[in-house]
């Protein structure tokens, strides 16, 4: 009778672990999607930065005031894009750290459960 209860408790624990792993997989998939989106945004920003560098080169070659103002505006956008990219990289690093901490915590919990 005690053996049956213990067996049922173990099954329940196992189902809980399986659900937790599935939840973590889902969370990691969502994090991957967010990272992919950020990577796409970063690629776009790199393209903008490349165009801005080209525009800056042209700015040096021309003395036209209107063109110079357009180039200055583009350089300001690139500066803003760079800050956005750095912020996105920082957020991505934070997400990776959180996922790693969650995985470590899960492993410690499992180890504690097994040792009991």
């Amino acid at each position: 009778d005690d053996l049956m209860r213990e067996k049922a408790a173990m099954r329940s624990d196992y189902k809980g672990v399986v659900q937790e792993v599935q939840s973590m997989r889902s969370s990691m998939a969502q994090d991957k999607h967010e990272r992919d989106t950020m990577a796409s945004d970063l690629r776009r920003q790199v393209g903008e930065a490349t165009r801005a560098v080209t525009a800056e080169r042209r700015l040096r070659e021309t003395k036209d005031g209107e063109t110079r103002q357009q180039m200055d505006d583009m350089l300001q956008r690139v500066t803003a894009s760079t800050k956005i990219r750095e912020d996105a990289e920082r957020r991505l690093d934070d997400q990776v750290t959180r996922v790693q901490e969650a995985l470590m915590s899960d492993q410690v919990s499992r180890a504690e459960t097994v040792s009991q």
Side-chain angles (χ1 to χ4, degrees):
D1 203 27
D2 286 340
L3 183 61
M4 293 301 278
R5 277 194 293 271
E6 188 175 331
K7 213 173 186 183
M10 288 176 68
R11 276 194 196 108
S12 176
D13 288 347
Y14 175 76
K15 287 179 183 177
V17 168
V18 167
Q19 288 175 343
E20 191 173 334
V21 167
Q22 287 171 340
S23 173
M24 288 176 68
R25 282 183 179 158
S26 174
S27 176
M28 289 174 70
Q30 182 179 357
D31 288 347
K32 181 186 181 315
H33 174 73
E34 290 173 5
R35 284 192 306 274
D36 289 347
T37 300
M38 282 187 215
S40 175
D41 290 345
L42 291 175
R43 282 191 293 274
R44 181 184 49 76
Q45 291 172 5
V46 166
E48 288 177 6
T50 302
R51 287 188 294 279
V53 167
T54 301
E56 183 180 9
R57 206 173 291 132
R58 288 185 188 139
L59 176 63
R60 288 187 202 126
E61 296 169 358
T62 184
K63 295 187 191 246
D64 180 42
E66 180 180 316
T67 302
R68 191 175 301 256
Q69 182 60 49
Q70 290 173 349
M71 299 303 164
D72 287 344
D73 293 347
M74 188 176 288
L75 289 174
Q76 288 176 349
R77 287 196 303 272
V78 168
T79 301
S81 291
T82 299
K83 183 179 181 336
I84 290 169
R85 178 184 53 79
E86 290 169 353
D87 290 345
E89 288 173 344
R90 196 169 19 263
R91 286 193 309 271
L92 181 60
D93 287 345
D94 291 346
Q95 285 180 344
V96 168
T97 300
R98 284 195 302 274
V99 168
Q100 288 172 336
E101 288 171 352
L103 287 173
M104 288 300 292
S105 174
D106 181 57
Q107 288 175 349
V108 168
S109 295
R110 286 186 193 170
E112 289 173 352
T113 300
V114 168
S115 70
Q116 289 177 358

